[in-house]
């Protein structure tokens, strides 16, 4: 089987760790603190053994506990996102901090993550795409996984051609998933959603049932929000890649999700998170938009720790993913040194373009 990107990254991390090279980076790259990113907090769900294309979005509850213990042992302070942003704005580096964020609004945030964070007294922020809570968002990446897992052959239109993918082994499933996923990721939002809807209709997958089975309800979100440890932030209405939209539509997605949350929770919403969050989904235009809309800060999925210089770029903050493909505490040591991000970002501390 071809080497996957995660295998290459893992090999790089292992070398960095065992050579102890990462320690040389620490004095200038350890930064003020980190904003950690999570999505699902649950044990890995494999519909078919060996096929788990969305494992990067899953963190096991056991690993989350270990990470929190390790950070505590290292004397790293757990702070809310508001506090992390304030310390970054002021460039305060009295004690290093960690802020936790969970994207999208999944039910396991309520059932699995909340009790863990409560046990540690650790604040966390949940970024909500409002249609997920409505149960009507199109979680196309999970639908695609479900379709490929359940079939030995999948026919989909990719690059203008009807392709039939053999999907009987987990390697074939993985390969078909990657082809269709990345083709869909590159499409304009409307086309992407239409293709996903068509494929779901062909293979009898209900996008609505899928969403409902994954999402928190509004009542659960309100209950979560009543905990002083919890902050709720906006993450668009439809979970869209904003950079693909006209500016007016992007602005409406950001504003409408915030307004809906403010109405449902009866409180201001100050923070935003860009869906997908990579440079192709959120760039300078979106960072400016978040500022114009008076969000106090906004987070991306760009990789990195927080440095003084981010004080000038609070709507383009990087995060550290607690990604299910890398559940090993030695990686936490690496992340805290800043070394992997220095290398990944070609020694740029701030990337806001
Ligand atoms: Zn998201």
């Amino acid at each position: 089987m071809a080497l996957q990107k995660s295998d290459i990254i893992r090999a790089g991390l292992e070398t960095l760790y065992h050579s102890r090279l990462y320690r040389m980076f620490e004095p200038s790259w350890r930064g003020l603190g980190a904003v950690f990113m999570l999505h699902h907090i649950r044990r890995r769900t494999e519909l078919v053994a060996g096929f788990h294309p969305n494992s990067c979005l899953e963190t096991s509850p056991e690993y989350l506990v270990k990470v929190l213990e390790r950070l505590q042992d290292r004397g790293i302070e757990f702070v809310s996102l508001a506090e992390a942003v304030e310390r970054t704005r002021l460039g305060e580096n009295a004690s290093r901090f960690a802020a936790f964020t969970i994207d999208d609004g999944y039910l396991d945030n309520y059932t699995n993550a909340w009790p863990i964070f409560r046990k540690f007294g650790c604040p966390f922020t949940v970024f909500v795409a409002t249609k997920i809570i409505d149960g009507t968002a199109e979680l196309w990446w999970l639908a695609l996984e479900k379709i490929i897992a359940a079939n030995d052959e999948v026919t989909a239109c990719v690059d203008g051609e009807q392709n039939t993918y053999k999907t009987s082994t987990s390697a074939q499933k993985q390969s078909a998933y990657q082809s269709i996923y990345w083709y869909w990721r590159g499409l304009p939002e409307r086309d992407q959603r239409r293709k996903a809807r068509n494929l779901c209709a062909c293979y009898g997958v209900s996008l609505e049932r899928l969403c409902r089975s994954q999402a928190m309800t509004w009542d659960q979100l309100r209950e979560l929000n009543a905990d002083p440890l919890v902050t709720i932030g906006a993450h668009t209405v439809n979970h869209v890649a904003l950079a693909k939209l006209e500016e007016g539509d992007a602005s409406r997605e950001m504003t409408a999700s915030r307004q809906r949350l403010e109405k449902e929770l009866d409180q201001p919403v100050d923070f935003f998170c860009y869906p997908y969050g990579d440079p192709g989904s959120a760039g300078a235009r979106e960072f400016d938009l978040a500022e114009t809309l008076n969000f106090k800060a906004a987070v991306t999925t760009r990789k990195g720790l927080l440095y003084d210089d981010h004080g000038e770029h609070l709507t383009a903050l990087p995060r550290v993913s607690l990604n299910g493909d890398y559940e090993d505490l030695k990686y936490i040591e690496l992340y805290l040194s800043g070394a992997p991000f220095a290398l990944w970002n070609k020694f740029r501390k701030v990337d806001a373009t």
Side-chain angles (χ1 to χ4, degrees), residues 249-264:
D249 292 335
S251 172
R252 272 187 287 281
E253 278 280 346
M254 296 168 84
T255 309
S257 63
R258 173 196 234 169
Q259 285 173 344
R260 177 76 191 279
L261 287 167
E262 288 183 337
K263 184 167 162 264
E264 295 285 349

Side-chain angles (χ1 to χ4, degrees), residues 134-199:
D134 286 338
T136 55
E138 293 165 324
L139 306 177
W140 59 267
W141 55 95
L142 293 179
L144 182 61
E145 176 179 350
K146 204 173 161 153
I147 290 167
I148 293 176
N151 290 281
D152 288 339
E153 215 174 72
V154 171
T155 301
C157 178
V158 170
D159 289 326
E161 281 178 34
Q162 280 295 108
N163 290 332
T164 297
Y165 297 90
K166 286 214 172 310
T167 52
S168 50
T169 67
S170 59
Q172 288 170 340
K173 286 180 192 296
Q174 190 70 24
S175 156
Y177 183 90
Q178 294 302 327
S179 301
I180 303 170
Y181 175 92
W182 286 109
Y183 173 62
W184 285 359
R185 265 293 289 269
L187 289 175
E189 285 292 330
R190 203 169 296 165
D191 298 344
Q192 175 199 82
R193 299 300 169 100
R194 197 177 50 230
K195 286 203 184 292
R197 258 174 250 143
N198 287 344
L199 200 71

